[in-house]
Amino acid sequence: MKIPNMIYGTAWKKENTTNLVFEALKQGFRAVDTACQPRHYQEDLVGLGLQKAYDEGIVKREDLFIQTKFTPIDGQDKNNMPYLESDEIEIQVEKSFETSKKNLKTNFIDAYILHSPVYPGSKLQKVWQKMEEFVDAQEVGQLGISNCYDLDVLVYIYNNAKIKPSIVQNRFYAQSGYDKEIRAFCNQNGIKYESFWSLTANPHILTSEILQNLSKKYQRGVAEIFYRFLNHIDITPLNGTTSTKHMIEDLKIGDFSLSNDEINEISKLLG
């Protein structure tokens, strides 16, 4: 299934997760991002939100793009994990995946993402090969990696993988140079780049004169302008809004287009 132009992000939603996922689907989101990482996500409550939307006829499972993640031990709360610290890494991936399917009430995950690289390379290969097995078993559609800011790591996975990564999901911020080299590699190799923290990390862009002026010109919020810009440069943003009003507005970014000059002006703000 093709990834929609915006994905609803479910991190940090805590006890509000079910209602927010349901509301996002009700307003028109057709892609949901989560992780089997109780420290930051309530994946089981994401599943309840999905089920509620199915039960009320808002959406069918086959019309949704659902992606979740295997979170290595360094990213977990060791008192609340989907696997044991003593498990071999492949068993950790297996247990996490089985937990995700149960949480999300589905036998098929559209995209399964490694939440962050693991080292050394031999260990990374073990994780990736286990993830490839899920694709071979037709339980996963695509594979990806998140929080990967080292191009060499991405190239290593790409060159050594039987099933190549088709998604990179990274924080979109100045400290990484907005991943220019990684995004170029993604574009050259048919990998979809997904951004998170797109708004939170970029107040200087949202308050810039150019975005303020475009907001007036198009009668859209600055967030909508920036999200539209990201789509124009082949980025699919995650959107974690808790506001129904913003859900409605942000989902309409496909209704207008920025000119090439405007895209170039905003691009300059990325350095």
Side-chain angles (χ1 to χ4, degrees):
M1 182 178 175
K2 189 170 179 287
I3 303 173
N5 70 345
M6 190 177 287
I7 299 169
Y8 190 66
T10 62
W12 309 103
K13 301 298 189 287
K14 299 183 179 177
E15 65 275 2
N16 297 318
T17 300
T18 297
N19 289 337
L20 286 169
V21 168
F22 174 76
E23 187 65 23
L25 298 177
K26 184 179 172 186
Q27 298 309 329
F29 277 92
R30 290 298 176 262
V32 175
D33 173 89
T34 187
C36 196
Q37 183 201 32
R39 184 179 180 184
H40 295 153
Y41 296 80
Q42 297 295 314
E43 191 184 48
D44 55 335
L45 299 186
V46 173
L48 292 178
L50 295 172
Q51 190 63 56
K52 186 179 180 190
Y54 303 150
D55 291 345
E56 298 198 15
I58 285 166
V59 67
K60 295 176 181 174
R61 169 65 187 95
E62 55 266 30
D63 298 326
L64 283 184
F65 188 91
I66 297 174
Q67 63 183 30
T68 189
K69 310 178 193 81
F70 164 68
T71 306
I73 205 157
D74 289 349
Q76 298 278 9
D77 170 2
K78 291 188 181 178
N79 295 313
N80 186 10
M81 300 193 296
Y83 50 78
L84 300 176
E85 191 170 358
S86 59
D87 288 333
E88 294 291 326
I89 189 80
E90 297 97 327
I91 300 300
Q92 292 178 7
V93 178
E94 267 182 22
K95 285 185 176 180
S96 184
F97 183 63
E98 290 303 318
T99 301
S100 286
K101 288 191 296 178
K102 183 179 174 185
N103 283 340
L104 298 170
K105 305 178 189 308
T106 184
N107 290 316
F108 183 80
I109 303 293
D110 295 276
Y112 199 56
I113 294 172
L114 174 57
H115 209 158
S116 58
V118 292
Y119 302 97
S122 57
K123 192 174 182 182
L124 180 58
Q125 277 190 275
K126 284 181 181 179
V127 170
W128 199 265
Q129 285 165 357
K130 178 54 66 175
M131 290 165 58
E132 289 176 332
E133 288 179 18
F134 305 149
V135 179
D136 289 339
Q138 299 186 321
E139 294 180 293
V140 164
Q142 304 178 45
L143 299 180
I145 186 165
S146 183
N147 295 294
C148 181
Y149 303 99
D150 184 338
L151 180 59
D152 290 343
V153 173
L154 180 58
V155 171
Y156 177 83
I157 295 172
Y158 191 86
N159 288 341
N160 287 282
K162 182 185 69 167
I163 298 170
K164 310 294 185 187
S166 54
I167 293 167
V168 168
Q169 183 190 111
N170 275 357
R171 182 174 297 165
F172 194 68
Y173 67 152
Q175 287 92 319
S176 65
Y178 294 103
D179 282 338
K180 283 189 182 64
E181 289 184 356
I182 285 176
R183 287 192 289 119
F185 182 84
C186 288
N187 286 337
Q188 289 160 11
N189 292 283
I191 300 170
K192 172 56 69 178
Y193 183 95
E194 298 176 358
S195 66
F196 67 91
W197 269 40
S198 311
L199 304 183
T200 309
N202 294 296
H204 61 295
I205 293 178
L206 299 179
T207 57
S208 66
E209 188 176 354
I210 178 160
L211 258 74
Q212 297 294 323
N213 289 339
L214 291 173
S215 175
K216 289 174 190 155
K217 174 182 174 180
Y218 289 101
Q219 294 292 293
R220 307 270 178 168
V222 289
E224 296 164 72
I225 300 293
F226 193 50
Y227 281 141
R228 187 66 184 106
F229 163 75
L230 293 176
N231 277 178
H232 277 305
I233 62 168
D234 297 319
I235 292 175
T236 298
L238 269 66
N239 182 328
T241 186
T242 58
S243 158
T244 298
K245 178 177 181 286
H246 289 157
M247 289 177 185
I248 294 167
E249 292 170 350
D250 296 344
L251 284 165
K252 291 180 179 175
I253 60 170
D255 294 352
F256 73 104
S257 293
L258 302 171
S259 70
N260 287 335
D261 287 344
E262 289 164 349
I263 293 165
N264 291 334
E265 283 297 307
I266 300 173
S267 293
K268 289 176 186 174
L269 300 177
L270 305 182

